[in-house]
Amino acid sequence: MRVISETHLGAVLSGLPGRPRVVAGGNFATPRRALAVLDAALPEYRLFMLNAQGDLPDRDGVDLETPFVGAGMRGRDGLRYYPSRLSLVPNLLKELLPPDVVVMQTSMPAGGTVSLGIEVNILPAAIEAVRERGGVVVAQLNPRMPYTYGDSVLALEDVDYAIETDEPLATPVPRPPGEVAREIGRRVARLVPEQATLQLGIGGVPDAVLASLLDRRGLGVWSEMFSDGVLALEKAGALDTATPITASFAFGSPELYDWADRNERVRMLRTEKTNDPGLIARRPRLVSVNSALQVDLFAQANASRVRGVIYSGFGGQTDFVVGALHSPGGRAVIALPSWHPRADVSTVIPRLAGPVTSFQHSYIVSEQGTAAVWGHDAVSQAQQIVDEVAHPSARDELREEGRRLGFPLR
């Protein structure tokens, strides 16, 4: 690894031929300084990121690519969305979308290594893929980046060039859950046994679930990501201290990042491991909790699209639903409010009009109640979804539409 100036890095990158594909760290670990240098050096390129946040280059010559749309790419003209389970994104990079450049934010060097810190995810696979093509690996070294263990640790020889920065890591805007989310959290918590292993997705509802589990004991975490809710479990004594906290990326408060730094109980793995349904299934009593935008009377969930337009993507939901169902004592839970306040519509609809994100869940939960899905016939599933999950003002219409779909609903 050569530590060079930003000017020198720009000169290196300007010599790249054609329209290179650049894979950059996403979520809240985006290497913004290095990306700015790259954007100034290259007239055109393809930028591939997962759950990209904040401002991204927005000009002719820059094509955005992603299997999971974040706020930084959402609604952008010309966005190329690649539907994929998160566990399979590394295969995309190795086989069909090979990168020419990888740009990432890391810790400062220590003992001949750097750490990817809070964003491991698809980066190890991207580095391997770019190495096979003779491409370039660039690190933005930041003393604020936690040094985490597991697949996040890279040898210095895995990096070609590095620039140094010292800037705070991005953090999500705190959004305390409202009463609807808290009620959902309480209902989901009743489905979580002692000594369960937890996977929770992103958003207010999963955060509210974690807040409702502070009195549990012996819990484990095997998840694609974690945030401050896991730190709250740790402080409350709810986590099994003998079990590593396993994830692929993290985002949260500066306190969370300080806690993760050189914490041997935090094990950050590449996404092919954390999201492998076979490995997930080996965890006993794995409870997967994910949110959705809509569910229908066929017990199908849409977590990807709004009015047919891509909003996010599959993410890890499909991986963990399958893994949890095969886990001994495991449960796959979809949790969502019964009513969308901004759109002023029911989140329970007769039948999804677009692609399905996931199906065959154990339970569907709203602030209204809980529908037990797995092990019940299709009519019973639909009846429970109407009676227990849907908002009262939507139930009569859902029953009527359900009968048209062939469900003899009461």
Side-chain angles (χ1 to χ4, degrees):
M1 181 179 76
R2 293 178 57 193
V3 179
I4 60 178
S5 68
E6 293 184 9
T7 301
H8 189 178
L9 178 61
V12 170
L13 295 174
S14 66
L16 294 172
R19 192 164 62 93
R21 173 172 287 111
V22 179
V23 174
N27 289 295
F28 286 81
T30 302
R32 299 202 178 277
R33 285 301 312 153
L35 275 181
V37 172
L38 181 142
D39 186 59
L42 294 175
E44 56 181 22
Y45 61 95
R46 294 165 290 190
L47 181 59
F48 185 105
M49 296 175 68
L50 280 182
N51 198 27
Q53 304 292 311
D55 294 331
L56 297 178
D58 187 7
R59 62 173 176 82
D60 291 340
V62 180
D63 295 326
L64 302 179
E65 302 176 332
T66 188
F68 193 88
V69 183
M73 291 187 178
R74 190 167 296 135
R76 293 278 291 270
D77 292 338
L79 173 65
R80 302 189 70 185
Y81 166 64
Y82 291 87
S84 175
R85 296 183 181 204
L86 189 53
S87 62
L88 295 176
V89 174
N91 290 357
L92 278 179
L93 298 177
K94 291 179 179 180
E95 298 169 4
L96 301 172
L97 303 175
D100 301 288
V101 183
V102 175
V103 185
M104 58 202 179
Q105 189 167 192
T106 74
S107 72
M108 300 300 289
T113 64
V114 292
S115 173
L116 292 167
I118 61 171
E119 177 75 7
V120 177
N121 220 330
I122 61 170
L123 290 174
I127 292 169
E128 291 168 0
V130 84
R131 284 284 180 222
E132 290 184 5
R133 291 169 60 82
V136 180
V137 178
V138 178
Q140 178 180 308
L141 307 176
N142 187 351
R144 314 283 186 105
M145 177 64 80
Y147 193 105
T148 60
Y149 300 108
D151 294 333
S152 57
V153 178
L154 302 175
L156 294 184
E157 53 262 34
D158 290 333
V159 181
D160 296 306
Y161 302 100
I163 60 171
E164 294 183 339
T165 61
D166 185 349
E167 56 190 26
L169 294 176
T171 60
V173 177
R175 290 187 174 91
E179 181 52 37
V180 168
R182 288 195 293 269
E183 178 59 25
I184 295 171
R186 289 188 285 267
R187 291 184 181 278
V188 173
R190 295 171 195 153
L191 304 174
V192 179
E194 297 285 340
Q195 300 179 324
T197 300
L198 302 174
Q199 178 266 327
L200 291 104
I202 299 170
V205 168
D207 288 347
V209 173
L210 289 173
S212 299
L213 293 171
L214 300 180
D215 61 346
R216 300 299 164 86
R217 293 296 177 263
L219 297 176
V221 175
W222 181 289
S223 185
E224 68 189 40
M225 61 80 63
F226 68 89
S227 189
D228 289 271
V230 168
L231 178 55
L233 291 179
E234 172 78 352
K235 290 179 177 179
L239 297 179
D240 178 8
T241 57
T243 302
I245 298 160
T246 302
S248 193
F249 63 96
F251 53 73
S253 65
E255 182 185 8
L256 180 78
Y257 300 154
D258 289 343
W259 173 71
D261 185 38
R262 297 192 178 276
N263 187 338
E264 294 186 355
R265 286 187 55 223
V266 175
R267 184 174 62 168
M268 303 296 282
L269 301 183
R270 53 200 294 163
T271 192
E272 306 97 306
K273 296 178 184 177
T274 58
N275 285 59
D276 181 341
L279 295 180
I280 295 166
R282 296 180 190 175
R283 312 300 303 178
R285 297 175 296 280
L286 190 136
V287 180
S288 168
V289 182
N290 287 282
S291 55
L293 300 167
Q294 296 171 310
V295 296
D296 69 11
L297 300 184
F298 296 89
Q300 303 175 126
N302 163 33
S304 302
R305 293 179 178 267
V306 175
R307 292 184 290 276
V309 178
I310 188 65
Y311 183 82
S312 56
F314 296 163
Q317 184 170 130
T318 53
D319 295 322
F320 276 93
V321 166
V322 172
L325 287 172
H326 286 273
S327 162
R331 294 169 174 177
V333 180
I334 292 293
L336 77 170
S338 66
W339 197 263
H340 194 296
R342 280 183 291 182
D344 197 28
V345 294
S346 171
T347 60
V348 179
I349 62 175
R351 182 166 58 186
L352 294 181
V356 173
T357 305
S358 62
F359 60 95
Q360 199 171 63
H361 314 100
S362 304
Y363 298 92
I364 299 175
V365 181
S366 78
E367 81 283 2
Q368 303 295 327
T370 299
V373 175
W374 171 246
H376 293 264
D377 66 69
V379 174
S380 175
Q381 290 178 3
Q383 189 74 60
Q384 287 190 71
I385 291 169
V386 172
D387 293 344
E388 304 295 338
V389 179
H391 192 275
S393 64
R395 289 174 185 169
D396 287 344
E397 183 178 350
L398 286 169
R399 291 187 185 103
E400 183 178 343
E401 291 295 325
R403 294 183 193 111
R404 292 194 181 101
L405 292 172
F407 296 117
L409 299 181
R410 302 185 302 275

